[in-house]
Amino acid sequence: MKHVDLEKFANGAFSAQVNRAIEEVTENIQNPNTDSGATRKITVTIAFKPNAERNFVATGVQTKTTLAPALGAVTAFSMGKNLQTGEVEAVEMGNQIPGQMSVNDVPGVVPENVVEVDGSKVDTTTGEIVENKVVDLRKKA
């Protein structure tokens, strides 16, 4: 049998499909929302379907990728029972426990990491505006 050049096989479709699959796998590897240690796979299938006389064979080429799934998101809930109604309550917790006061809740107290920029109080550690004022970022300084 004559050597089959895989670059020219199926008019170049075989090589193009494999290259597309490799690109898909490398993008999945670089995605920070996937498990870095997960194994990715490329499966190449070359199917041969001969006719009854066995003098003609229809050949199909197909690639299939197995990628790492996206990582799930994790959160936490504070749960308890409302003593007045008896109903179960669940509140998603952020960076502060529900019901707990923060320094920003105390009137007249300004945290030491807050500065004033363009008339608004800004937290220098997070860059968040402490007050509920809208800042028009389209304004030119």
Side-chain angles (χ1 to χ4, degrees), residues 11-72:
N11 290 327
F14 175 78
S15 177
Q17 284 187 22
V18 170
N19 282 319
R20 260 193 315 271
I22 290 172
E23 183 177 345
E24 192 176 332
V25 167
T26 55
E27 286 175 1
N28 184 260
I29 290 170
Q30 294 300 315
N31 185 343
N33 296 318
T34 60
D35 180 12
S36 63
T39 301
R40 282 81 165 171
K41 297 179 191 175
I42 298 173
T43 304
V44 178
T45 303
I46 304 173
F48 299 90
K49 176 83 171 144
N51 65 357
E53 293 81 32
R54 300 175 191 228
N55 61 358
F56 178 80
V57 179
T59 307
V61 178
Q62 184 179 20
T63 58
K64 179 184 172 193
T65 57
T66 304
L67 305 174
L71 296 173

Short mmCIF file of all heavy atoms in Angstrom, two decimals, residues 11-72:
data_model
loop_
_atom_site.label_atom_id
_atom_site.label_comp_id
_atom_site.label_asym_id
_atom_site.label_seq_id
_atom_site.Cartn_x
_atom_site.Cartn_y
_atom_site.Cartn_z
N ASN A 11 -8.50 15.67 1.57
CA ASN A 11 -8.30 17.03 1.05
C ASN A 11 -7.91 18.01 2.16
O ASN A 11 -8.32 19.16 2.15
CB ASN A 11 -9.55 17.53 0.32
CG ASN A 11 -9.78 16.81 -0.98
OD1 ASN A 11 -8.83 16.42 -1.65
ND2 ASN A 11 -11.03 16.61 -1.34
N GLY A 12 -7.14 17.55 3.12
CA GLY A 12 -6.67 18.40 4.21
C GLY A 12 -7.64 18.53 5.37
O GLY A 12 -7.33 19.14 6.39
N ALA A 13 -8.83 17.92 5.26
CA ALA A 13 -9.84 18.02 6.33
C ALA A 13 -9.37 17.32 7.61
O ALA A 13 -9.64 17.79 8.71
CB ALA A 13 -11.16 17.43 5.88
N PHE A 14 -8.64 16.21 7.45
CA PHE A 14 -8.15 15.48 8.63
C PHE A 14 -7.23 16.37 9.45
O PHE A 14 -7.40 16.55 10.65
CB PHE A 14 -7.42 14.20 8.20
CG PHE A 14 -6.78 13.46 9.33
CD1 PHE A 14 -7.53 12.68 10.17
CD2 PHE A 14 -5.41 13.55 9.56
CE1 PHE A 14 -6.95 11.98 11.22
CE2 PHE A 14 -4.82 12.88 10.60
CZ PHE A 14 -5.58 12.08 11.43
N SER A 15 -6.25 16.96 8.80
CA SER A 15 -5.28 17.84 9.48
C SER A 15 -5.98 19.06 10.08
O SER A 15 -5.68 19.46 11.21
CB SER A 15 -4.21 18.28 8.49
OG SER A 15 -3.32 19.17 9.09
N ALA A 16 -6.94 19.64 9.35
CA ALA A 16 -7.65 20.82 9.85
C ALA A 16 -8.46 20.48 11.09
O ALA A 16 -8.49 21.24 12.06
CB ALA A 16 -8.57 21.37 8.76
N GLN A 17 -9.12 19.31 11.10
CA GLN A 17 -9.91 18.90 12.26
C GLN A 17 -9.03 18.65 13.48
O GLN A 17 -9.37 19.05 14.60
CB GLN A 17 -10.72 17.65 11.95
CG GLN A 17 -11.93 17.91 11.09
CD GLN A 17 -12.80 16.67 10.93
OE1 GLN A 17 -12.76 15.76 11.75
NE2 GLN A 17 -13.60 16.65 9.88
N VAL A 18 -7.90 18.01 13.27
CA VAL A 18 -6.99 17.74 14.39
C VAL A 18 -6.44 19.06 14.95
O VAL A 18 -6.38 19.26 16.16
CB VAL A 18 -5.84 16.80 13.96
CG1 VAL A 18 -4.77 16.71 15.04
CG2 VAL A 18 -6.39 15.41 13.66
N ASN A 19 -6.08 19.98 14.08
CA ASN A 19 -5.57 21.27 14.54
C ASN A 19 -6.63 22.06 15.29
O ASN A 19 -6.33 22.71 16.30
CB ASN A 19 -5.02 22.09 13.36
CG ASN A 19 -3.65 21.62 12.95
OD1 ASN A 19 -2.82 21.33 13.79
ND2 ASN A 19 -3.42 21.54 11.65
N ARG A 20 -7.89 22.02 14.81
CA ARG A 20 -8.98 22.69 15.53
C ARG A 20 -9.18 22.07 16.91
O ARG A 20 -9.40 22.78 17.90
CB ARG A 20 -10.28 22.59 14.74
CG ARG A 20 -10.62 23.85 13.98
CD ARG A 20 -12.06 23.86 13.46
NE ARG A 20 -12.51 22.63 12.84
CZ ARG A 20 -12.37 22.33 11.55
NH1 ARG A 20 -11.80 23.19 10.73
NH2 ARG A 20 -12.81 21.20 11.08
N ALA A 21 -9.10 20.75 16.99
CA ALA A 21 -9.26 20.07 18.27
C ALA A 21 -8.13 20.42 19.23
O ALA A 21 -8.36 20.65 20.42
CB ALA A 21 -9.32 18.55 18.05
N ILE A 22 -6.91 20.50 18.73
CA ILE A 22 -5.77 20.89 19.58
C ILE A 22 -5.95 22.32 20.07
O ILE A 22 -5.69 22.62 21.24
CB ILE A 22 -4.44 20.72 18.81
CG1 ILE A 22 -4.14 19.23 18.59
CG2 ILE A 22 -3.29 21.39 19.56
CD1 ILE A 22 -2.96 18.95 17.68
N GLU A 23 -6.43 23.21 19.22
CA GLU A 23 -6.68 24.59 19.63
C GLU A 23 -7.75 24.64 20.72
O GLU A 23 -7.62 25.36 21.71
CB GLU A 23 -7.12 25.42 18.43
CG GLU A 23 -7.33 26.88 18.75
CD GLU A 23 -7.70 27.70 17.53
OE1 GLU A 23 -7.53 27.22 16.39
OE2 GLU A 23 -8.18 28.83 17.72
N GLU A 24 -8.80 23.84 20.57
CA GLU A 24 -9.88 23.79 21.57
C GLU A 24 -9.35 23.29 22.91
O GLU A 24 -9.68 23.83 23.97
CB GLU A 24 -10.98 22.87 21.05
CG GLU A 24 -12.27 22.94 21.82
CD GLU A 24 -13.35 22.06 21.18
OE1 GLU A 24 -13.32 21.83 19.96
OE2 GLU A 24 -14.21 21.60 21.94
N VAL A 25 -8.49 22.28 22.88
CA VAL A 25 -7.91 21.73 24.11
C VAL A 25 -6.98 22.75 24.78
O VAL A 25 -7.04 22.95 25.99
CB VAL A 25 -7.17 20.41 23.83
CG1 VAL A 25 -6.31 19.99 25.01
CG2 VAL A 25 -8.16 19.31 23.49
N THR A 26 -6.15 23.42 24.00
CA THR A 26 -5.23 24.39 24.60
C THR A 26 -5.98 25.58 25.20
O THR A 26 -5.59 26.09 26.25
CB THR A 26 -4.18 24.87 23.59
OG1 THR A 26 -4.83 25.40 22.44
CG2 THR A 26 -3.25 23.75 23.16
N GLU A 27 -7.07 26.02 24.55
CA GLU A 27 -7.88 27.09 25.13
C GLU A 27 -8.51 26.65 26.44
O GLU A 27 -8.58 27.41 27.40
CB GLU A 27 -8.96 27.54 24.15
CG GLU A 27 -8.42 28.35 23.01
CD GLU A 27 -9.48 28.70 21.97
OE1 GLU A 27 -10.67 28.32 22.15
OE2 GLU A 27 -9.12 29.35 20.97
N ASN A 28 -8.95 25.38 26.50
CA ASN A 28 -9.54 24.85 27.72
C ASN A 28 -8.50 24.75 28.83
O ASN A 28 -8.80 25.03 29.99
CB ASN A 28 -10.17 23.48 27.44
CG ASN A 28 -10.87 22.91 28.64
OD1 ASN A 28 -10.32 22.06 29.34
ND2 ASN A 28 -12.09 23.37 28.88
N ILE A 29 -7.28 24.42 28.48
CA ILE A 29 -6.20 24.33 29.48
C ILE A 29 -5.89 25.72 30.04
O ILE A 29 -5.66 25.89 31.23
CB ILE A 29 -4.94 23.69 28.86
CG1 ILE A 29 -5.18 22.21 28.60
CG2 ILE A 29 -3.72 23.89 29.75
CD1 ILE A 29 -4.10 21.53 27.79
N GLN A 30 -5.91 26.74 29.19
CA GLN A 30 -5.60 28.11 29.63
C GLN A 30 -6.75 28.78 30.36
O GLN A 30 -6.56 29.81 30.99
CB GLN A 30 -5.20 28.96 28.42
CG GLN A 30 -3.90 28.54 27.77
CD GLN A 30 -2.74 28.63 28.73
OE1 GLN A 30 -2.58 29.61 29.45
NE2 GLN A 30 -1.92 27.60 28.77
N ASN A 31 -7.95 28.21 30.31
CA ASN A 31 -9.12 28.80 30.96
C ASN A 31 -8.98 28.67 32.48
O ASN A 31 -8.94 27.56 33.00
CB ASN A 31 -10.39 28.10 30.48
CG ASN A 31 -11.64 28.74 31.01
OD1 ASN A 31 -11.63 29.50 31.97
ND2 ASN A 31 -12.76 28.41 30.37
N PRO A 32 -8.92 29.79 33.22
CA PRO A 32 -8.74 29.70 34.67
C PRO A 32 -9.97 29.15 35.39
O PRO A 32 -9.90 28.84 36.57
CB PRO A 32 -8.49 31.16 35.08
CG PRO A 32 -9.12 31.97 34.01
CD PRO A 32 -8.99 31.16 32.74
N ASN A 33 -11.09 29.00 34.68
CA ASN A 33 -12.31 28.47 35.29
C ASN A 33 -12.42 26.96 35.16
O ASN A 33 -13.48 26.39 35.40
CB ASN A 33 -13.55 29.13 34.66
CG ASN A 33 -13.59 30.61 34.95
OD1 ASN A 33 -13.29 31.04 36.05
ND2 ASN A 33 -13.92 31.39 33.94
N THR A 34 -11.34 26.29 34.75
CA THR A 34 -11.33 24.83 34.67
C THR A 34 -10.23 24.28 35.56
O THR A 34 -9.31 25.00 35.95
CB THR A 34 -11.08 24.34 33.22
OG1 THR A 34 -9.80 24.82 32.77
CG2 THR A 34 -12.16 24.82 32.26
N ASP A 35 -10.34 23.00 35.89
CA ASP A 35 -9.35 22.33 36.73
C ASP A 35 -8.05 22.18 35.94
O ASP A 35 -8.03 21.57 34.87
CB ASP A 35 -9.88 20.96 37.15
CG ASP A 35 -8.93 20.17 38.02
OD1 ASP A 35 -7.93 20.75 38.51
OD2 ASP A 35 -9.19 18.98 38.24
N SER A 36 -6.97 22.74 36.48
CA SER A 36 -5.70 22.72 35.76
C SER A 36 -5.13 21.31 35.63
O SER A 36 -4.41 21.01 34.69
CB SER A 36 -4.68 23.62 36.46
OG SER A 36 -4.41 23.13 37.77
N GLY A 37 -5.45 20.42 36.55
CA GLY A 37 -4.88 19.07 36.53
C GLY A 37 -5.71 18.05 35.79
O GLY A 37 -5.31 16.89 35.67
N ALA A 38 -6.87 18.45 35.27
CA ALA A 38 -7.74 17.50 34.57
C ALA A 38 -7.11 17.09 33.23
O ALA A 38 -6.46 17.88 32.57
CB ALA A 38 -9.12 18.11 34.34
N THR A 39 -7.35 15.84 32.85
CA THR A 39 -6.84 15.33 31.58
C THR A 39 -7.80 15.69 30.46
O THR A 39 -9.01 15.51 30.59
CB THR A 39 -6.69 13.80 31.65
OG1 THR A 39 -5.80 13.48 32.72
CG2 THR A 39 -6.15 13.24 30.35
N ARG A 40 -7.25 16.21 29.39
CA ARG A 40 -8.03 16.50 28.19
C ARG A 40 -7.65 15.47 27.13
O ARG A 40 -6.53 15.01 27.10
CB ARG A 40 -7.72 17.90 27.64
CG ARG A 40 -8.39 19.04 28.40
CD ARG A 40 -7.67 19.39 29.63
NE ARG A 40 -8.11 20.70 30.15
CZ ARG A 40 -7.75 21.16 31.31
NH1 ARG A 40 -6.95 20.46 32.09
NH2 ARG A 40 -8.18 22.32 31.73
N LYS A 41 -8.60 15.15 26.24
CA LYS A 41 -8.35 14.13 25.22
C LYS A 41 -8.85 14.58 23.86
O LYS A 41 -9.81 15.35 23.78
CB LYS A 41 -9.08 12.83 25.57
CG LYS A 41 -8.64 12.16 26.83
CD LYS A 41 -9.47 10.91 27.05
CE LYS A 41 -9.26 10.36 28.44
NZ LYS A 41 -10.13 9.22 28.71
N ILE A 42 -8.20 14.07 22.84
CA ILE A 42 -8.67 14.21 21.46
C ILE A 42 -8.80 12.80 20.91
O ILE A 42 -7.83 12.05 20.90
CB ILE A 42 -7.71 15.04 20.59
CG1 ILE A 42 -7.57 16.45 21.15
CG2 ILE A 42 -8.20 15.06 19.15
CD1 ILE A 42 -6.52 17.28 20.44
N THR A 43 -9.99 12.46 20.46
CA THR A 43 -10.22 11.15 19.85
C THR A 43 -10.45 11.37 18.36
O THR A 43 -11.31 12.16 17.97
CB THR A 43 -11.46 10.47 20.46
OG1 THR A 43 -11.29 10.39 21.88
CG2 THR A 43 -11.67 9.09 19.90
N VAL A 44 -9.65 10.69 17.55
CA VAL A 44 -9.77 10.80 16.10
C VAL A 44 -10.35 9.48 15.59
O VAL A 44 -9.83 8.41 15.90
CB VAL A 44 -8.40 11.05 15.44
CG1 VAL A 44 -8.54 11.10 13.92
CG2 VAL A 44 -7.79 12.34 15.96
N THR A 45 -11.44 9.57 14.84
CA THR A 45 -12.09 8.39 14.28
C THR A 45 -12.03 8.47 12.77
O THR A 45 -12.45 9.46 12.18
CB THR A 45 -13.56 8.30 14.73
OG1 THR A 45 -13.60 8.31 16.16
CG2 THR A 45 -14.23 7.05 14.22
N ILE A 46 -11.49 7.42 12.17
CA ILE A 46 -11.49 7.29 10.72
C ILE A 46 -12.35 6.07 10.41
O ILE A 46 -11.99 4.94 10.78
CB ILE A 46 -10.06 7.11 10.15
CG1 ILE A 46 -9.17 8.27 10.60
CG2 ILE A 46 -10.10 7.00 8.63
CD1 ILE A 46 -7.71 8.10 10.23
N ALA A 47 -13.50 6.29 9.78
CA ALA A 47 -14.45 5.22 9.51
C ALA A 47 -14.35 4.81 8.04
O ALA A 47 -14.27 5.67 7.16
CB ALA A 47 -15.86 5.68 9.84
N PHE A 48 -14.37 3.51 7.81
CA PHE A 48 -14.29 2.96 6.46
C PHE A 48 -15.56 2.16 6.18
O PHE A 48 -15.88 1.22 6.91
CB PHE A 48 -13.07 2.04 6.31
CG PHE A 48 -11.76 2.72 6.55
CD1 PHE A 48 -11.21 2.79 7.83
CD2 PHE A 48 -11.08 3.31 5.50
CE1 PHE A 48 -10.00 3.42 8.05
CE2 PHE A 48 -9.86 3.94 5.71
CZ PHE A 48 -9.33 4.01 6.99
N LYS A 49 -16.30 2.52 5.10
CA LYS A 49 -17.55 1.84 4.73
C LYS A 49 -17.41 1.33 3.29
O LYS A 49 -17.60 2.07 2.32
CB LYS A 49 -18.72 2.82 4.86
CG LYS A 49 -20.04 2.27 4.42
CD LYS A 49 -20.69 1.47 5.50
CE LYS A 49 -22.11 1.15 5.07
NZ LYS A 49 -22.54 -0.13 5.47
N PRO A 50 -17.06 0.04 3.14
CA PRO A 50 -16.88 -0.49 1.78
C PRO A 50 -18.22 -0.83 1.12
O PRO A 50 -19.21 -1.09 1.80
CB PRO A 50 -16.05 -1.75 2.00
CG PRO A 50 -16.36 -2.17 3.40
CD PRO A 50 -16.68 -0.92 4.16
N ASN A 51 -18.20 -0.87 -0.25
CA ASN A 51 -19.40 -1.29 -0.97
C ASN A 51 -19.41 -2.82 -1.04
O ASN A 51 -18.49 -3.49 -0.55
CB ASN A 51 -19.47 -0.64 -2.35
CG ASN A 51 -18.35 -1.08 -3.26
OD1 ASN A 51 -17.45 -1.83 -2.87
ND2 ASN A 51 -18.38 -0.60 -4.51
N ALA A 52 -20.44 -3.38 -1.65
CA ALA A 52 -20.59 -4.84 -1.70
C ALA A 52 -19.47 -5.51 -2.48
O ALA A 52 -19.06 -6.63 -2.15
CB ALA A 52 -21.95 -5.21 -2.30
N GLU A 53 -18.96 -4.86 -3.52
CA GLU A 53 -17.88 -5.46 -4.33
C GLU A 53 -16.51 -5.25 -3.71
O GLU A 53 -15.52 -5.78 -4.20
CB GLU A 53 -17.89 -4.87 -5.74
CG GLU A 53 -19.10 -5.23 -6.58
CD GLU A 53 -20.30 -4.38 -6.25
OE1 GLU A 53 -20.13 -3.19 -5.89
OE2 GLU A 53 -21.42 -4.90 -6.33
N ARG A 54 -16.44 -4.44 -2.67
CA ARG A 54 -15.21 -4.12 -1.95
C ARG A 54 -14.16 -3.42 -2.82
O ARG A 54 -12.97 -3.49 -2.56
CB ARG A 54 -14.59 -5.38 -1.34
CG ARG A 54 -15.50 -6.06 -0.37
CD ARG A 54 -14.90 -7.36 0.11
NE ARG A 54 -15.89 -8.12 0.83
CZ ARG A 54 -15.69 -8.68 2.00
NH1 ARG A 54 -14.52 -8.56 2.58
NH2 ARG A 54 -16.63 -9.37 2.58
N ASN A 55 -14.63 -2.71 -3.83
CA ASN A 55 -13.68 -1.98 -4.67
C ASN A 55 -13.77 -0.47 -4.45
O ASN A 55 -13.08 0.29 -5.09
CB ASN A 55 -13.90 -2.33 -6.14
CG ASN A 55 -15.29 -1.96 -6.63
OD1 ASN A 55 -16.11 -1.47 -5.87
ND2 ASN A 55 -15.55 -2.22 -7.90
N PHE A 56 -14.68 -0.03 -3.58
CA PHE A 56 -14.83 1.38 -3.25
C PHE A 56 -15.12 1.48 -1.76
O PHE A 56 -15.93 0.74 -1.22
CB PHE A 56 -15.99 1.99 -4.06
CG PHE A 56 -16.23 3.44 -3.75
CD1 PHE A 56 -15.43 4.42 -4.31
CD2 PHE A 56 -17.24 3.82 -2.89
CE1 PHE A 56 -15.66 5.76 -4.03
CE2 PHE A 56 -17.47 5.14 -2.59
CZ PHE A 56 -16.68 6.13 -3.17
N VAL A 57 -14.43 2.41 -1.09
CA VAL A 57 -14.62 2.58 0.35
C VAL A 57 -14.89 4.05 0.64
O VAL A 57 -14.07 4.91 0.34
CB VAL A 57 -13.37 2.12 1.14
CG1 VAL A 57 -13.57 2.31 2.62
CG2 VAL A 57 -13.03 0.67 0.83
N ALA A 58 -16.05 4.32 1.22
CA ALA A 58 -16.35 5.68 1.68
C ALA A 58 -15.66 5.85 3.03
O ALA A 58 -15.77 5.02 3.92
CB ALA A 58 -17.86 5.87 1.83
N THR A 59 -14.90 6.92 3.14
CA THR A 59 -14.10 7.13 4.35
C THR A 59 -14.50 8.45 4.99
O THR A 59 -14.59 9.48 4.34
CB THR A 59 -12.60 7.16 4.00
OG1 THR A 59 -12.29 5.98 3.26
CG2 THR A 59 -11.75 7.21 5.24
N GLY A 60 -14.75 8.39 6.30
CA GLY A 60 -15.11 9.59 7.04
C GLY A 60 -14.10 9.84 8.15
O GLY A 60 -13.56 8.91 8.74
N VAL A 61 -13.85 11.11 8.41
CA VAL A 61 -12.90 11.50 9.45
C VAL A 61 -13.64 12.38 10.45
O VAL A 61 -14.38 13.29 10.07
CB VAL A 61 -11.72 12.29 8.83
CG1 VAL A 61 -10.76 12.75 9.90
CG2 VAL A 61 -11.01 11.46 7.80
N GLN A 62 -13.43 12.10 11.74
CA GLN A 62 -14.10 12.88 12.77
C GLN A 62 -13.19 12.98 13.99
O GLN A 62 -12.53 12.01 14.37
CB GLN A 62 -15.42 12.22 13.16
CG GLN A 62 -16.22 13.01 14.16
CD GLN A 62 -17.53 12.33 14.50
OE1 GLN A 62 -17.70 11.14 14.29
NE2 GLN A 62 -18.46 13.09 15.02
N THR A 63 -13.16 14.17 14.60
CA THR A 63 -12.42 14.35 15.85
C THR A 63 -13.41 14.71 16.94
O THR A 63 -14.43 15.36 16.70
CB THR A 63 -11.36 15.48 15.75
OG1 THR A 63 -12.01 16.69 15.39
CG2 THR A 63 -10.28 15.14 14.75
N LYS A 64 -13.09 14.28 18.15
CA LYS A 64 -13.94 14.57 19.31
C LYS A 64 -13.01 14.95 20.45
O LYS A 64 -12.02 14.28 20.71
CB LYS A 64 -14.77 13.35 19.68
CG LYS A 64 -15.66 13.58 20.88
CD LYS A 64 -16.39 12.30 21.27
CE LYS A 64 -17.12 12.53 22.57
NZ LYS A 64 -17.59 11.28 23.15
N THR A 65 -13.34 16.05 21.12
CA THR A 65 -12.52 16.48 22.26
C THR A 65 -13.24 16.18 23.56
O THR A 65 -14.47 16.26 23.65
CB THR A 65 -12.22 17.99 22.19
OG1 THR A 65 -13.44 18.70 22.14
CG2 THR A 65 -11.37 18.34 20.98
N THR A 66 -12.46 15.84 24.57
CA THR A 66 -12.96 15.69 25.93
C THR A 66 -12.23 16.74 26.75
O THR A 66 -11.02 16.66 26.93
CB THR A 66 -12.68 14.28 26.48
OG1 THR A 66 -13.25 13.31 25.60
CG2 THR A 66 -13.27 14.12 27.87
N LEU A 67 -12.98 17.74 27.19
CA LEU A 67 -12.38 18.89 27.87
C LEU A 67 -12.69 18.83 29.37
O LEU A 67 -13.56 18.09 29.81
CB LEU A 67 -12.93 20.19 27.28
CG LEU A 67 -12.78 20.35 25.78
CD1 LEU A 67 -13.49 21.61 25.32
CD2 LEU A 67 -11.33 20.38 25.39
N ALA A 68 -11.97 19.64 30.13
CA ALA A 68 -12.26 19.76 31.55
C ALA A 68 -13.48 20.64 31.72
O ALA A 68 -13.60 21.68 31.08
CB ALA A 68 -11.06 20.38 32.28
N PRO A 69 -14.42 20.23 32.57
CA PRO A 69 -15.61 21.06 32.77
C PRO A 69 -15.28 22.32 33.55
O PRO A 69 -14.26 22.38 34.25
CB PRO A 69 -16.55 20.15 33.57
CG PRO A 69 -15.64 19.19 34.27
CD PRO A 69 -14.45 19.01 33.36
N ALA A 70 -16.12 23.31 33.44
CA ALA A 70 -15.94 24.55 34.19
C ALA A 70 -16.06 24.26 35.68
O ALA A 70 -16.83 23.39 36.10
CB ALA A 70 -16.98 25.58 33.77
N LEU A 71 -15.27 24.97 36.47
CA LEU A 71 -15.31 24.80 37.91
C LEU A 71 -16.64 25.33 38.45
O LEU A 71 -17.18 26.31 37.94
CB LEU A 71 -14.16 25.57 38.58
CG LEU A 71 -12.75 25.08 38.24
CD1 LEU A 71 -11.72 26.03 38.83
CD2 LEU A 71 -12.53 23.68 38.76
N GLY A 72 -17.12 24.70 39.47
CA GLY A 72 -18.35 25.15 40.11
C GLY A 72 -18.06 26.34 41.02
O GLY A 72 -16.93 26.59 41.42
#
